[in-house]
Amino acid sequence: MESDARQLLVSALVRTAAGERTGLQTTYRLTSAKLFGVCLRILGERAEAEDVLQEVYLTVWRKAADFDPARASPMTWLITIARNRAIDRVRSKAQRKLDPIEAATEVADATPSAQASLEDAQSSAKLHGCLGGLAEREQTALRGAYFDGATYEEMAERMTMPLGTMKSLIRRALMKLKTCLEQ
Amino acid sequence: MSDTFDHSQLPQDDALAAEFVLGLLSQADRQAAERRIAREPAFAGLVAHWEAQLVPFADDIAPVQPPHDVWLRISTALRPEKVQASRWASLAFWRGFAIGASGLALASLVALFVVPNAPSQKPLVATITGGNTTLVATIDPRTNNIVVVPAALNIPADKVPELWLIPADGKPRSLGILRRDQAVTLVLPPGLATQATAAAVLAVSVEPPGGSPTGLPTGPVIGQGKLTNL
């Protein structure tokens, strides 16, 4: 079952695909705060995040016809575009300074966000349930990587462990997660 | 590269897809993965699967209101492509004429605002009617823009109106989703430009949100009208 907000977003994307500016405007109104939060988290700097946010919605304008409501949730599609744009931007720069891992994942205790109406509550409960089955360090590593789009090298440095150990830990965590999610 | 970790766990491509989605790859590995996504549907499928599985992580990222000028920058960047339709799409402009006006009167009003620059490129107009439904659609062959103005359009709140072109062969082709309360501008797909002639019919059907899932009308057709040259 889909919430009204999600249905509104799907129809806004369909209208965007038809070349309607008001479709893009509605999409922006419903989602820009979330996507700006996602970009800001990866880029760490407001001016950069604003630039990338602009690129994200121009990408949505051009590619809205690629969005298939039967195959992906609209928020997944939009968040994926925002993360990819932000990660590409961050990789194109020489270096960035990431917070220590404790600070990076402290929002983990926050209650599920009020934007949940746009997202799929069922898959959210499932991921969070499966994460609960991982060791704490494994959860921290996956969460830290996702939030910041951090590379293996950056993660190894933040969690002060050798690169090989870091890779091994994350791959094991992914395997456990996949097994749990597919049950 | 160190080989101390266990490869026997996730299949290599599955692990790579997850690492791509998490953002763990270096610039070079990331670009290589992007090339594979573009070329290999199976790998792209693994990536899409992980995107859907991991996206709930984003629940924990707090929304931050962007400054107002970001939208202004975006809408300015759109302007050059879409500017022609603005006067046609203005609901306030149309509402004054649409209420109570007959289709023919509307068509002649449309004619006042259209200045054809070649006889073969005359705008087409259709008054789409049926039951309680009245809409006016114009197609400008120079831009392939279709402007549809609803004068009366009553459909259930959980449905959307979809516009169809029915050319001489009788097979409906979707032109896009309409708004019940607002004029919309659609773009005639290039493949259909030669089919949108004075012999064709426009029709509106009632469809689930997002439009007909089958590519053909699935709900009742609530109005139709023949295209005519102005």
Side-chain angles (χ1 to χ4, degrees), chain B residues 4-52:
Chain B
T4 54
F5 49 88
D6 186 0
H7 284 296
S8 69
Q9 304 265 324
L10 278 183
Q12 189 66 30
D13 276 0
D14 208 13
L16 184 67
E19 289 164 345
F20 174 81
V21 171
L22 284 169
L24 286 161
L25 302 179
S26 66
Q27 167 88 325
D29 290 349
R30 187 171 172 78
Q31 286 170 344
E34 277 165 359
R35 284 192 294 274
R36 288 194 57 193
I37 291 168
R39 277 197 309 250
E40 298 174 33
F43 183 66
L46 292 174
V47 170
H49 187 64
W50 278 109
E51 277 162 358

Side-chain angles (χ1 to χ4, degrees), chain A residues 15 33-34 50-51 54 61 80 83-84 88 91 113 119 124 143 145 149-152 167-168 171 178, chain B residues 1 5 10 14 19 21-25 27 30 51 58-61 64 67 73 78 82 177 179:
Chain A
R15 287 189 290 119
K34 185 72 190 185
E50 287 170 22
D51 270 6
Q54 181 182 350
W61 177 244
T80 299
R83 289 189 75 250
N84 282 338
D88 286 343
R91 290 286 181 280
S113 77
E119 288 144 16
S124 176
R143 219 185 272 279
T151 61
Y152 272 128
K167 287 190 180 181
S168 167
R171 288 202 170 186
K178 185 186 166 82
Chain B
M1 188 169 284
F5 49 88
L10 278 183
D14 208 13
E19 289 164 345
V21 171
L22 284 169
L24 286 161
L25 302 179
Q27 167 88 325
R30 187 171 172 78
E51 277 162 358
D59 293 355
D60 293 336
I61 298 175
V64 181
R73 278 152 62 190
L78 302 181
K82 302 281 166 180
I177 309 290
R179 294 288 302 271

Side-chain angles (χ1 to χ4, degrees), chain B residues 183-200:
Chain B
V184 302
T185 305
L186 305 170
V187 177
L188 188 64
L192 290 182
T194 56
Q195 313 260 34
T197 63

Side-chain angles (χ1 to χ4, degrees), chain B residues 112-204:
Chain B
L112 289 176
F113 294 95
V114 175
V115 187
N117 56 3
S120 60
Q121 297 215 309
K122 281 185 184 163
L124 293 155
V125 64
T127 306
I128 302 168
T129 55
N132 306 325
T133 306
T134 307
L135 306 95
V136 178
T138 53
I139 300 178
D140 183 347
R142 292 166 304 167
T143 60
N144 280 340
N145 278 344
I146 311 165
V147 179
V148 186
V149 184
L153 181 57
N154 297 302
I155 63 166
D158 60 344
K159 301 287 185 194
V160 299
E162 186 162 353
L163 181 68
W164 301 88
L165 173 70
I166 307 171
D169 66 4
K171 191 171 161 257
R173 269 77 155 195
S174 176
L175 296 176
I177 309 290
L178 304 176
R179 294 288 302 271
R180 69 189 73 213
D181 56 354
Q182 201 174 309
V184 302
T185 305
L186 305 170
V187 177
L188 188 64
L192 290 182
T194 56
Q195 313 260 34
T197 63
V201 167
L202 292 183
V204 173

Side-chain angles (χ1 to χ4, degrees), chain A residues 8 12-13 24 27 47 49 51 55 57 73 82 92 110 114 147 149 164 167 169:
Chain A
L8 189 62
L13 285 171
L24 188 69
T27 305
D51 270 6
E55 281 177 19
Y57 284 96
S73 101
S92 69
F147 282 2
K167 287 190 180 181
L169 183 146

Side-chain angles (χ1 to χ4, degrees), chain A residues 82-128:
Chain A
R83 289 189 75 250
N84 282 338
R85 284 275 166 180
I87 292 170
D88 286 343
R89 174 70 69 105
V90 116
R91 290 286 181 280
S92 69
K93 296 195 299 183
Q95 232 186 353
R96 62 173 166 165
K97 189 159 170 15
L98 289 171
D99 289 334
I101 197 72
E102 293 76 17
T105 55
E106 67 193 3
V107 292
D109 292 334
T111 47
S113 77
Q115 291 237 336
S117 60
L118 278 175
E119 288 144 16
D120 183 347
Q122 209 178 348
S123 68
S124 176
K126 192 156 192 193
L127 177 73
H128 289 287

